[in-house]
Amino acid sequence: MNKGNYTAVTEFFLVGLSHSQGLQLVLYVLCLVMYLVILLGNSMLIIISILDPRLHTPMYFFLGNLSFLDICYTSSFIPEMMIIVMSERKSISFLGCALQMVISLGLGSTECILLAVMAYDRYVAICNPLRYTIIMNKGLCAQMAACSWIAGFLISLVQTVIALINPFCGNIIEHFACEILALLKLTCGDISLNVFIMTVASIVFLITPLLLIFFSYIFIISTILRINSNEGRKKAFSTCSAHLTVVMLFYGSALFMYMKPKSKDINTSDQIIALSYGVITPMMNPIIYSLRNKEVKGALQKFLIRNPLSSLMSTVLL
């Protein structure tokens, strides 16, 4: 298609994973259950990190940021997706699509940086424990968290604006959300600038944080192996295992989505991976931290004992 065949778009139609009525119903129920678990689990982590004085440390400050981010990220598209899946028209306004893309891209980029910041926190705690409280002071933690959010939304705003000013040759998105790769497949014009910016963003927000995490854990593991006490090594590993599990889950799906060779059409497997990246990872984060971190598990159990809904929540999270 050439630039002369573009369409003035006022709305988009999201038709991903909607080929059969049965699949739509299953998708609706699964997303509803997972969304409720995400809200419950991440909200609980935020609450206990505020109420329990033992968790007033940089590690749990960043964990609270991550939980809040996951709630916002999933809320940016799951409710809308559930409405669209069960509706006949399956449409979203141009402005709604733009807003959804800005928020989801911004929060996804922020999480990449935030996970690297959390790795740095673990590096300082294990490799330089005597100066940990001096280095990771409240001011630095607040600045690092703020920079993560600001940088994530700046690159998201740039990518979204450049994507949406392109002329479109259609308005049917083969996806369940306004995802930038799916949207760019509708453009008639030259997208070389979009590809360049996305490549730079992938290097800065995916590859660079992943390398920082990798090198941080090389130093962390090297330090842990020099600890004489088995109990000391076990305790040091336990403080990192939850974060490392979340990193592998998040980056595994993210790298598959954004770094694999792009095909002309988006297939079902791409959409399932996107769903894993966008829903399953935020759902698993609080579960992983509850199961792999003794401090979180202890604080959670203490909180649930005082809560009249403790048995139900304990079953879901523990």
Side-chain angles (χ1 to χ4, degrees):
M1 295 184 185
N2 56 55
K3 292 184 179 181
N5 294 329
Y6 76 90
T7 303
V9 174
T10 58
E11 63 180 356
F12 292 99
F13 294 90
L14 302 170
V15 298
L17 298 177
S18 60
H19 304 296
S20 68
Q21 188 66 33
L23 180 61
Q24 292 179 51
L25 182 59
V26 171
L27 182 64
Y28 181 89
V29 173
L30 282 176
C31 287
L32 176 61
V33 172
M34 289 189 291
Y35 185 53
L36 292 175
V37 173
I38 289 167
L39 293 179
L40 176 62
N42 286 287
S43 297
M44 290 292 292
L45 275 181
I46 294 172
I47 292 170
I48 64 172
S49 66
I50 293 173
L51 296 181
D52 196 319
R54 296 173 301 173
L55 304 185
H56 293 175
T57 64
M59 175 181 174
Y60 297 106
F61 169 74
F62 294 125
L63 179 57
N65 270 263
L66 182 64
S67 295
F68 178 69
L69 184 152
D70 284 339
I71 291 173
C72 295
Y73 179 72
T74 51
S75 297
S76 70
F77 72 92
I78 291 182
E80 183 71 25
M81 182 185 73
M82 292 170 63
I83 294 172
I84 290 174
V85 162
M86 299 305 293
S87 68
E88 292 286 339
R89 190 166 169 75
K90 303 187 184 304
S91 65
I92 183 173
S93 68
F94 184 90
L95 182 60
C97 186
L99 185 61
Q100 186 182 90
M101 192 152 54
V102 167
I103 295 174
S104 60
L105 264 177
L107 292 171
S109 301
T110 300
E111 184 160 355
C112 291
I113 303 176
L114 196 58
L115 288 172
V117 169
M118 294 173 74
Y120 175 73
D121 171 70
R122 292 299 83 208
Y123 161 76
V124 177
I126 292 174
C127 299
N128 204 348
L130 297 179
R131 300 187 62 217
Y132 176 68
T133 55
I134 298 174
I135 297 174
M136 299 301 294
N137 56 71
K138 290 183 179 180
L140 179 63
C141 291
Q143 290 173 13
M144 294 172 79
C147 287
S148 299
W149 287 85
I150 293 171
F153 274 95
L154 281 177
I155 190 62
S156 169
L157 185 61
V158 170
Q159 288 191 80
T160 301
V161 169
I162 294 177
L164 292 177
I165 62 175
N166 287 316
F168 293 99
C169 297
N171 61 350
I172 299 176
I173 300 177
E174 292 286 342
H175 213 279
F176 54 79
C178 287
E179 202 271 334
I180 190 167
L181 295 177
L183 188 71
L184 287 176
K185 294 183 184 296
L186 301 179
T187 60
C188 303
D190 181 19
I191 61 169
S192 57
L193 179 59
N194 300 86
V195 172
F196 173 75
I197 292 176
M198 287 187 66
T199 302
V200 172
S202 295
I203 293 172
V204 174
F205 289 91
L206 274 176
I207 303 300
T208 302
L210 186 58
L211 287 174
L212 292 174
I213 293 170
F214 176 75
F215 286 114
S216 295
Y217 273 98
I218 287 178
F219 288 111
I220 288 170
I221 293 172
S222 175
T223 301
I224 291 175
L225 292 176
R226 292 198 299 267
I227 298 175
N228 295 325
S229 167
N230 288 333
E231 187 64 27
R233 284 197 296 267
K234 184 177 179 181
K235 183 178 179 180
F237 271 121
S238 69
T239 64
C240 301
S241 60
H243 174 258
L244 196 55
T245 304
V246 169
V247 166
M248 290 189 291
L249 186 63
F250 176 82
Y251 274 98
S253 54
L255 288 172
F256 183 88
M257 278 183 61
Y258 291 103
M259 301 303 291
K260 73 181 182 67
K262 305 298 184 295
S263 60
K264 182 178 180 181
D265 299 316
I266 295 178
N267 53 45
T268 302
S269 65
D270 292 331
Q271 296 177 50
I272 293 173
I273 291 294
L275 189 64
S276 169
Y277 168 78
V279 180
I280 297 178
T281 302
M283 182 185 70
M284 292 300 296
N285 286 353
I287 297 174
I288 291 169
Y289 273 98
S290 297
L291 293 175
R292 302 298 296 272
N293 191 297
K294 291 182 179 180
E295 291 179 329
V296 172
K297 192 172 182 178
L300 186 58
Q301 288 174 334
K302 183 179 177 181
F303 176 81
L304 291 176
I305 289 172
R306 300 175 180 177
N307 194 294
L309 298 177
S310 60
S311 59
L312 174 62
M313 293 180 178
S314 182
T315 301
V316 173
L317 293 176
L318 300 176

